[in-house]
Amino acid sequence: DVDFASGPRYWDPHYEADPTPFDWLEDFADVRDLIEHVARGDQGVRILHPGCGNSLLPEELYDEGYTSIVNIDTSEVVVEQMAARNRERQGMEWHVMDATRTRFDDARFGLVIDKGVLDTFSCSVGNSSVVASAYLQEMARVLRPGGVLLCISFGEPRLRMPLFEWSRAPFEVIFLELEASLGMDANFAYVATKSPGGAFS
């Protein structure tokens, strides 16, 4: 079966049929203060936005002053759509790339913002823990020591914290429960800071 965890086989036709921007989980306004906190007020921080889809987050970040943003997704369709939509935002990058094995140098980024990517990998049929571990290890690799993976997730800590533990990626992780919208369940923010040594255990 083809579902949202099936990569471009599912998402390419989806974005072709409906290119309207859409944000999963939280909007930028909901996490603006949290992003400012984990970025330590540094709007020049290099940001990686994996599984970007057609979220408005990168353009809203850019317009807020965070202008060093790299967006990746496995869907060539949505990457082309969003690159065209943001062509006036100079310096913003868009790449077709698998977040579990990127082509970036080690320690390139200071902040990774994940909205729903770990959730998607955790729903992979049959090998969810393997895929999630590969993803978390890769995000640790491309983060500089002291850099942060900010993971916005619908997954409760009892389901998501073990993924960080099993991955053996060099993260120190805390979680926060985000304020729930009216009639909606609360989402969670996992703040995973790459250990100063940065080595895999």
Short mmCIF file of all heavy atoms in Angstrom, two decimals, residues 2 4 6 16 18 34 36-37 40 43 45 49-50 72-73 76 83-84 102 111 113 121 127 135 137 144-145 191 199:
data_model
loop_
_atom_site.label_atom_id
_atom_site.label_comp_id
_atom_site.label_asym_id
_atom_site.label_seq_id
_atom_site.Cartn_x
_atom_site.Cartn_y
_atom_site.Cartn_z
N VAL A 2 0.41 2.28 -0.68
CA VAL A 2 1.12 3.55 -0.73
C VAL A 2 0.43 4.51 0.25
O VAL A 2 -0.76 4.77 0.14
CB VAL A 2 1.11 4.15 -2.15
CG1 VAL A 2 1.78 5.51 -2.16
CG2 VAL A 2 1.80 3.20 -3.12
N PHE A 4 1.39 7.94 3.39
CA PHE A 4 2.26 9.11 3.57
C PHE A 4 3.68 8.76 3.97
O PHE A 4 4.57 9.59 3.85
CB PHE A 4 1.64 10.07 4.59
CG PHE A 4 1.57 9.53 6.00
CD1 PHE A 4 2.62 9.72 6.87
CD2 PHE A 4 0.46 8.83 6.45
CE1 PHE A 4 2.58 9.23 8.16
CE2 PHE A 4 0.40 8.34 7.74
CZ PHE A 4 1.47 8.54 8.60
N SER A 6 5.38 6.54 2.40
CA SER A 6 5.94 5.89 1.20
C SER A 6 6.83 6.79 0.36
O SER A 6 7.24 6.40 -0.72
CB SER A 6 4.80 5.34 0.33
OG SER A 6 4.00 4.43 1.04
N GLU A 16 1.18 17.51 -6.81
CA GLU A 16 0.72 17.88 -8.15
C GLU A 16 -0.77 18.21 -8.13
O GLU A 16 -1.23 19.14 -8.78
CB GLU A 16 0.99 16.74 -9.14
CG GLU A 16 2.46 16.61 -9.52
CD GLU A 16 2.75 15.38 -10.35
OE1 GLU A 16 1.91 14.45 -10.37
OE2 GLU A 16 3.83 15.32 -10.99
N ASP A 18 -2.56 19.13 -5.41
CA ASP A 18 -2.88 20.24 -4.52
C ASP A 18 -1.60 20.92 -4.04
O ASP A 18 -1.01 20.54 -3.03
CB ASP A 18 -3.67 19.73 -3.31
CG ASP A 18 -4.12 20.88 -2.42
OD1 ASP A 18 -3.95 22.06 -2.80
OD2 ASP A 18 -4.64 20.61 -1.31
N LEU A 34 10.01 29.60 20.71
CA LEU A 34 10.83 28.41 20.95
C LEU A 34 12.02 28.37 20.01
O LEU A 34 13.15 28.06 20.42
CB LEU A 34 9.97 27.15 20.78
CG LEU A 34 10.66 25.80 21.00
CD1 LEU A 34 11.30 25.73 22.38
CD2 LEU A 34 9.66 24.67 20.80
N GLU A 36 13.45 30.96 18.58
CA GLU A 36 14.37 32.01 19.01
C GLU A 36 15.21 31.53 20.19
O GLU A 36 16.41 31.79 20.27
CB GLU A 36 13.60 33.27 19.39
CG GLU A 36 14.50 34.41 19.82
CD GLU A 36 13.73 35.68 20.17
OE1 GLU A 36 12.48 35.65 20.14
OE2 GLU A 36 14.38 36.70 20.47
N HIS A 37 14.58 30.78 21.10
CA HIS A 37 15.29 30.28 22.28
C HIS A 37 16.36 29.27 21.89
O HIS A 37 17.51 29.39 22.34
CB HIS A 37 14.29 29.65 23.25
CG HIS A 37 14.93 29.01 24.44
ND1 HIS A 37 15.50 29.74 25.47
CD2 HIS A 37 15.12 27.70 24.75
CE1 HIS A 37 16.00 28.91 26.36
NE2 HIS A 37 15.79 27.67 25.96
N ARG A 40 19.30 30.59 20.27
CA ARG A 40 20.04 31.49 21.17
C ARG A 40 20.07 32.92 20.62
O ARG A 40 21.06 33.65 20.78
CB ARG A 40 21.45 30.97 21.42
CG ARG A 40 21.48 29.55 22.01
CD ARG A 40 22.90 29.02 22.17
NE ARG A 40 22.92 27.67 22.69
CZ ARG A 40 22.87 26.58 21.93
NH1 ARG A 40 22.80 26.69 20.61
NH2 ARG A 40 22.90 25.37 22.49
N GLN A 43 20.06 34.89 14.56
CA GLN A 43 19.31 34.74 13.31
C GLN A 43 20.20 34.37 12.14
O GLN A 43 19.71 34.02 11.07
CB GLN A 43 18.54 36.02 13.00
CG GLN A 43 17.40 36.28 13.99
CD GLN A 43 16.50 37.40 13.54
OE1 GLN A 43 16.93 38.34 12.86
NE2 GLN A 43 15.23 37.33 13.92
N VAL A 45 22.15 31.75 12.29
CA VAL A 45 22.41 30.33 12.42
C VAL A 45 22.04 29.60 11.13
O VAL A 45 21.05 29.92 10.49
CB VAL A 45 21.64 29.74 13.63
CG1 VAL A 45 20.13 29.85 13.45
CG2 VAL A 45 22.06 28.32 13.92
N HIS A 49 16.02 22.36 7.21
CA HIS A 49 14.59 22.05 7.36
C HIS A 49 14.29 20.79 6.54
O HIS A 49 13.96 20.86 5.36
CB HIS A 49 13.75 23.24 6.86
CG HIS A 49 12.28 23.05 7.00
ND1 HIS A 49 11.38 23.59 6.11
CD2 HIS A 49 11.55 22.38 7.92
CE1 HIS A 49 10.16 23.26 6.47
NE2 HIS A 49 10.23 22.53 7.57
N PRO A 50 14.43 19.61 7.16
CA PRO A 50 14.16 18.37 6.44
C PRO A 50 12.67 18.11 6.29
O PRO A 50 11.87 18.54 7.12
CB PRO A 50 14.82 17.31 7.34
CG PRO A 50 14.72 17.87 8.72
CD PRO A 50 14.86 19.37 8.56
N ILE A 72 15.02 20.51 2.44
CA ILE A 72 15.14 19.28 1.66
C ILE A 72 13.85 18.47 1.74
O ILE A 72 13.12 18.53 2.74
CB ILE A 72 16.34 18.41 2.11
CG1 ILE A 72 16.16 17.91 3.54
CG2 ILE A 72 17.64 19.17 1.95
CD1 ILE A 72 17.23 16.89 3.98
N ASP A 73 13.59 17.72 0.69
CA ASP A 73 12.44 16.82 0.65
C ASP A 73 12.71 15.77 -0.42
O ASP A 73 13.47 16.04 -1.37
CB ASP A 73 11.16 17.60 0.32
CG ASP A 73 9.89 16.88 0.76
OD1 ASP A 73 9.51 15.88 0.11
OD2 ASP A 73 9.28 17.29 1.76
N GLU A 76 10.47 15.69 -5.61
CA GLU A 76 10.98 16.66 -6.57
C GLU A 76 9.91 17.68 -6.93
O GLU A 76 10.19 18.86 -7.15
CB GLU A 76 11.47 15.94 -7.84
CG GLU A 76 12.11 16.86 -8.86
CD GLU A 76 12.70 16.10 -10.04
OE1 GLU A 76 12.66 14.85 -10.03
OE2 GLU A 76 13.20 16.77 -10.98
N ALA A 83 10.69 26.16 -4.50
CA ALA A 83 11.82 26.96 -4.98
C ALA A 83 11.31 28.11 -5.85
O ALA A 83 11.78 29.25 -5.75
CB ALA A 83 12.80 26.09 -5.75
N ALA A 84 10.31 27.81 -6.69
CA ALA A 84 9.72 28.84 -7.53
C ALA A 84 8.99 29.88 -6.68
O ALA A 84 9.09 31.09 -6.92
CB ALA A 84 8.77 28.22 -8.55
N THR A 102 21.88 12.43 3.74
CA THR A 102 22.06 13.67 3.00
C THR A 102 23.46 13.74 2.40
O THR A 102 24.32 12.90 2.68
CB THR A 102 21.85 14.89 3.92
OG1 THR A 102 22.96 15.02 4.81
CG2 THR A 102 20.55 14.76 4.71
N LEU A 111 21.22 24.40 13.56
CA LEU A 111 19.84 24.11 13.98
C LEU A 111 19.15 23.31 12.89
O LEU A 111 19.24 23.63 11.71
CB LEU A 111 19.09 25.43 14.21
CG LEU A 111 17.60 25.36 14.56
CD1 LEU A 111 17.36 24.58 15.85
CD2 LEU A 111 17.02 26.77 14.68
N ILE A 113 15.26 21.98 12.09
CA ILE A 113 13.85 22.11 12.50
C ILE A 113 13.04 21.05 11.77
O ILE A 113 12.91 21.05 10.55
CB ILE A 113 13.30 23.51 12.19
CG1 ILE A 113 14.14 24.58 12.89
CG2 ILE A 113 11.84 23.60 12.64
CD1 ILE A 113 13.69 26.01 12.60
N PHE A 121 8.67 8.87 9.94
CA PHE A 121 9.56 7.70 9.98
C PHE A 121 9.11 6.69 11.04
O PHE A 121 9.29 5.48 10.86
CB PHE A 121 10.99 8.13 10.23
CG PHE A 121 11.63 8.84 9.07
CD1 PHE A 121 12.51 9.89 9.28
CD2 PHE A 121 11.35 8.48 7.76
CE1 PHE A 121 13.11 10.55 8.20
CE2 PHE A 121 11.93 9.13 6.68
CZ PHE A 121 12.81 10.16 6.90
N ASN A 127 9.89 -1.35 9.73
CA ASN A 127 11.27 -1.00 10.10
C ASN A 127 11.35 0.40 10.69
O ASN A 127 12.33 1.11 10.47
CB ASN A 127 12.19 -1.13 8.89
CG ASN A 127 11.78 -0.18 7.77
OD1 ASN A 127 10.69 0.38 7.79
ND2 ASN A 127 12.67 0.00 6.79
N TYR A 135 17.78 8.33 10.60
CA TYR A 135 17.48 9.76 10.48
C TYR A 135 18.13 10.56 11.61
O TYR A 135 18.80 11.57 11.36
CB TYR A 135 15.97 9.96 10.48
CG TYR A 135 15.53 11.38 10.67
CD1 TYR A 135 15.80 12.35 9.70
CD2 TYR A 135 14.82 11.77 11.81
CE1 TYR A 135 15.40 13.66 9.87
CE2 TYR A 135 14.41 13.07 11.97
CZ TYR A 135 14.69 14.02 11.01
OH TYR A 135 14.29 15.32 11.18
N GLN A 137 20.65 9.75 13.52
CA GLN A 137 22.10 9.71 13.38
C GLN A 137 22.58 10.69 12.32
O GLN A 137 23.60 11.37 12.49
CB GLN A 137 22.56 8.29 13.04
CG GLN A 137 22.41 7.31 14.19
CD GLN A 137 22.67 5.87 13.76
OE1 GLN A 137 23.00 5.60 12.62
NE2 GLN A 137 22.51 4.94 14.69
N ARG A 144 26.56 20.80 14.14
CA ARG A 144 27.81 21.08 14.85
C ARG A 144 27.63 20.72 16.32
O ARG A 144 26.50 20.69 16.83
CB ARG A 144 28.19 22.54 14.71
CG ARG A 144 27.15 23.52 15.22
CD ARG A 144 27.68 24.94 15.26
NE ARG A 144 26.66 25.92 15.55
CZ ARG A 144 26.13 26.12 16.76
NH1 ARG A 144 26.51 25.40 17.79
NH2 ARG A 144 25.20 27.05 16.95
N PRO A 145 28.71 20.42 17.04
CA PRO A 145 28.59 20.19 18.48
C PRO A 145 27.91 21.38 19.17
O PRO A 145 28.23 22.54 18.89
CB PRO A 145 30.04 20.04 18.93
CG PRO A 145 30.74 19.51 17.71
CD PRO A 145 30.08 20.21 16.55
N VAL A 191 13.75 18.86 22.18
CA VAL A 191 14.93 19.69 21.97
C VAL A 191 16.15 18.80 22.22
O VAL A 191 16.47 18.47 23.34
CB VAL A 191 14.94 20.92 22.90
CG1 VAL A 191 16.18 21.77 22.65
CG2 VAL A 191 13.67 21.74 22.73
N ALA A 199 30.59 12.63 19.18
CA ALA A 199 30.91 11.31 18.64
C ALA A 199 29.77 10.35 18.90
O ALA A 199 29.04 10.48 19.88
CB ALA A 199 32.19 10.79 19.27
#
